[in-house]
Amino acid sequence: MRLKPVAITVVGLSMMLSACGGSATRGGGDEPKQPEQSASSSAPPEADRHLAPAAVVVPLLPGHMPEPLKKPRKNEHYGDLQGTKGTLQCPASEERCEGVVTGAIAEFGTEMFDDGGEYANFEVWEYRTPVSAQGGFDAWKEKLGAEAEGFLVMPDGRFGEQHSATASVKGGKMGERTLLVRQAKYVGIVRTYSRADIVDDGKPGPTALVELGKMLVERMNQAELEQGPTASAAHVKLPG
């Protein structure tokens, strides 16, 4: 049984999203690493600037999501956010956590709680630099590849500076599909469990993974450009 959504956190983060207009998983096991701090009390160097923490980059509101994946199911963050220490962990023993500054998970589905129905899970990690993010991407790719039943070929389109897609099932069966992307200092993972991703002869699919992946990469890019992450997939109509 996964956790119920924390409504207060969603409201707080959505307010933060509005405030960021001009700027900007599943962990567990080991003790979480503490977010890295700049050694200087003056303006931090470029590598330490938080243009947008990961908790703002993940889609936060039901209005960002397409039908029928609009019900909030879970949200967690890693690090300190507006004075609140998150419960999400990044195990110190994991190579993927090297250089991590902030992290966040958000999940939406057809059911309010995360023990049934279809869902889309978003996970974003902010690293100190694009170089450390490349190392994180490589470590994530190795981890997800080892857990997968097969790899997916994504259709033409921009899915960040690096991307890799895997599936937990073989063929056109119902199961979890995963897209790993990197854009600048951010590494993101989209996991979908949706009928919209079952590929038949008459479907281009996996539609949910593709469309939600595009949204997340756009939000990551907006954050890197010091824009408030506003990209949405509310306009998308999922088949199935």
Side-chain angles (χ1 to χ4, degrees):
M1 185 79 175
R2 300 181 191 169
L3 300 175
K4 295 183 180 180
V6 184
I8 294 177
T9 305
V10 172
V11 172
L13 292 179
S14 63
M15 292 174 65
M16 184 175 179
L17 176 62
S18 299
C20 283
S23 67
T25 235
R26 298 181 174 105
D30 293 353
E31 193 69 18
K33 294 173 62 179
Q34 295 301 314
E36 298 179 80
Q37 303 290 334
S38 172
S40 172
S41 59
S42 59
E46 184 69 23
D48 288 341
R49 291 179 61 209
H50 292 261
L51 303 183
V56 176
V57 180
V58 293
L60 296 169
L61 304 175
H64 293 145
M65 297 296 293
E67 292 287 359
L69 304 175
K70 280 187 172 287
K71 295 182 178 179
R73 288 160 56 114
K74 177 172 65 174
N75 64 81
E76 300 176 58
H77 71 274
Y78 165 80
D80 188 271
L81 182 66
Q82 293 184 315
T84 302
K85 185 175 178 59
T87 59
L88 184 64
Q89 296 186 4
C90 201
S93 61
E94 297 279 352
E95 186 179 354
R96 61 187 172 87
C97 295
E98 184 68 32
V100 163
V101 181
T102 65
I105 286 178
E107 184 170 288
F108 298 85
T110 56
E111 306 294 335
M112 184 63 73
F113 304 125
D114 52 359
D115 57 356
E118 300 179 36
Y119 61 83
N121 179 287
F122 302 88
E123 184 170 354
V124 172
W125 295 96
E126 176 200 5
Y127 291 80
R128 289 193 65 248
T129 67
V131 173
S132 57
Q134 287 179 32
F137 176 91
D138 292 340
W140 269 109
K141 184 177 179 180
E142 182 177 353
K143 174 181 171 62
L144 295 174
E147 298 170 351
E149 286 293 327
F151 290 84
L152 301 173
V153 177
M154 300 299 284
D156 291 340
R158 182 166 174 78
F159 295 98
E161 296 176 54
Q162 295 174 278
H163 75 270
S164 175
T166 58
S168 65
V169 294
K170 294 181 179 179
K173 298 178 181 179
M174 189 69 172
E176 190 172 81
R177 272 80 173 175
T178 302
L179 173 64
L180 171 69
V181 295
R182 182 187 69 82
Q183 179 65 33
K185 296 196 298 182
Y186 301 98
V187 172
I189 303 102
V190 183
R191 298 177 177 93
T192 57
Y193 182 82
S194 170
R195 287 189 295 271
D197 284 343
I198 298 177
V199 181
D200 294 329
D201 291 341
K203 292 182 181 178
T207 307
L209 189 66
V210 168
E211 295 298 336
L212 296 179
K214 288 179 180 177
M215 173 182 67
L216 186 63
V217 169
E218 186 176 351
R219 294 178 67 88
M220 293 160 72
N221 190 51
Q222 287 177 321
E224 184 64 19
L225 295 175
E226 303 189 52
Q227 302 169 358
T230 59
S232 167
H235 62 286
V236 173
K237 183 174 178 61
L238 296 179

